[in-house]
Amino acid sequence: MTSAPPLPVATPPELPLPLSRLRHRRETLAKTLCLVAGLIVVFGILVLIGTEPQLAGTVGAGLAAAFVAAFWFTVRSARARGNAILISAEQWPELHRIVLDCQARLGLSGLKAYVVQDLVLEQSGLGLGDDGQLLLRSSLVDAALAKGELDVLRFHIGRKCGQVAFGHYGFVSTTLAHVGRVVYPLFAWYRRCQEASADRAGLWAAGRRHLAHQGLAVLSAGVQIGSRLTPQAVAVQQDQTSHGLWVTLVGWHTERTFFPKRLAALDASARELAIPD
């Protein structure tokens, strides 16, 4: 029987650090604008129903469809969580230690982390976590365990802890703000701001720039190739490809920032927060 990997040795910076320093500086503004846009849409629908009563049936059918979709999503989410394996002091104690450490560095406690097979997550359409649970892809955990590089997972776990700390899974940040989809470029901007906040939280939890960079590179290029990406190469690519017209237009209408730009932003955040290499 092979022995377990050695316990992590990274020593991230000490807290307390105000979450306001980790949150992307424009996330609150983007969220406020989405909420305002959503309220305007709801108010407009109510006014329209008042002036055109025959539309009440159509609106009711739409709400019923949304309820059925939400119910089905809840069932699929429960199926995925039922297949998840808890990370604890008895199971993967070295990984459990990282989970506790990342929580503490973001001022959290009591969150439970699980490993879920990639296929289960894809079939369920489930987001990787909620306000009380952190779900980790089995492919990432397997690769880190095989290489004995569990510290790389600090970035991923820290991102998820950050999403909880910032309230990204809360009702206001999800259901209400999502009504702002009617102005999709605005909503997409809000989602990118959330993503940037989570990346900064992951960077702080990782405590080392190279660990955060490697963790994000694995997401962008895969477990094997991503581990070989360098900040210098990514900076060159970002400088050469980020100024095209279509790249810029599509970037305004996507909820996920392009990976080279995220990697470049990660380096800038490391300098701002004085995160060592």
Side-chain angles (χ1 to χ4, degrees):
M1 180 180 297
T2 59
S3 59
L7 290 176
V9 296
T11 55
E14 296 182 355
L15 283 183
L17 179 74
L19 288 178
S20 59
R21 286 197 59 195
L22 294 178
R23 190 189 297 271
H24 187 275
R25 64 184 184 279
R26 294 181 179 176
E27 180 187 330
T28 301
L29 173 61
K31 178 180 179 179
T32 301
L33 293 177
C34 278
L35 290 173
V36 171
L39 291 175
I40 291 175
V41 170
V42 172
F43 179 75
I45 291 175
L46 293 176
V47 171
L48 187 61
I49 292 176
T51 56
E52 301 290 341
Q54 65 272 20
L55 295 178
T58 302
V59 174
L63 292 175
F67 176 80
V68 171
F71 174 78
W72 179 237
F73 179 77
T74 301
V75 171
R76 294 166 68 182
S77 299
R79 185 181 304 157
R81 291 191 171 91
N83 283 291
I85 304 299
L86 176 66
I87 298 171
S88 67
E90 292 74 29
Q91 298 182 127
W92 304 306
E94 63 278 13
L95 185 54
H96 180 64
R97 179 173 171 177
I98 292 180
V99 172
L100 295 178
D101 191 31
C102 290
Q103 290 186 59
R105 296 180 191 286
L106 291 168
L108 300 172
S109 63
L111 299 182
K112 295 184 180 298
Y114 298 82
V115 174
V116 185
Q117 289 186 353
D118 294 35
L119 181 59
V120 171
L121 287 173
E122 292 167 2
Q123 289 177 342
S124 68
L126 177 66
L128 298 181
D130 59 23
D131 58 0
Q133 303 180 45
L134 312 175
L135 302 184
L136 307 178
R137 289 185 179 275
S138 59
S139 59
L140 296 178
V141 177
D142 283 343
L145 285 170
K147 293 184 176 182
E149 298 177 351
L150 286 180
D151 276 325
V152 174
L153 294 176
R154 287 181 180 272
F155 175 75
H156 302 288
I157 297 171
R159 287 191 82 257
K160 299 178 189 308
C161 291
Q163 289 176 310
V164 173
F166 296 136
H168 290 175
Y169 297 119
F171 178 76
V172 174
S173 296
T174 55
T175 304
L176 289 184
H178 278 228
V179 183
R181 282 179 179 271
V182 67
V183 187
Y184 188 74
L186 173 60
F187 178 77
W189 176 45
Y190 171 50
R191 295 286 287 170
R192 293 195 302 273
C193 289
Q194 284 187 318
E195 183 179 64
S197 295
D199 282 351
R200 287 166 64 86
L203 171 65
W204 182 258
R208 294 289 185 272
R209 186 187 311 199
H210 76 277
L211 288 177
H213 187 279
Q214 186 175 354
L216 185 54
V218 165
L219 288 178
S220 64
V223 173
Q224 298 300 327
I225 299 176
S227 62
R228 302 184 181 183
L229 292 180
T230 65
Q232 295 77 15
V234 171
V236 171
Q237 177 183 345
Q238 168 67 10
D239 185 62
Q240 293 177 347
T241 63
S242 62
H243 305 297
L245 175 61
W246 283 104
V247 172
T248 301
L249 291 177
V250 172
W252 289 345
H253 290 76
T254 180
E255 298 177 28
R256 305 297 299 271
T257 304
F258 296 137
F259 274 110
K261 190 172 182 178
R262 285 178 67 185
L263 287 163
L266 201 64
D267 290 335
S269 295
R271 292 190 295 271
E272 175 194 340
L273 298 172
I275 304 294
D277 290 334

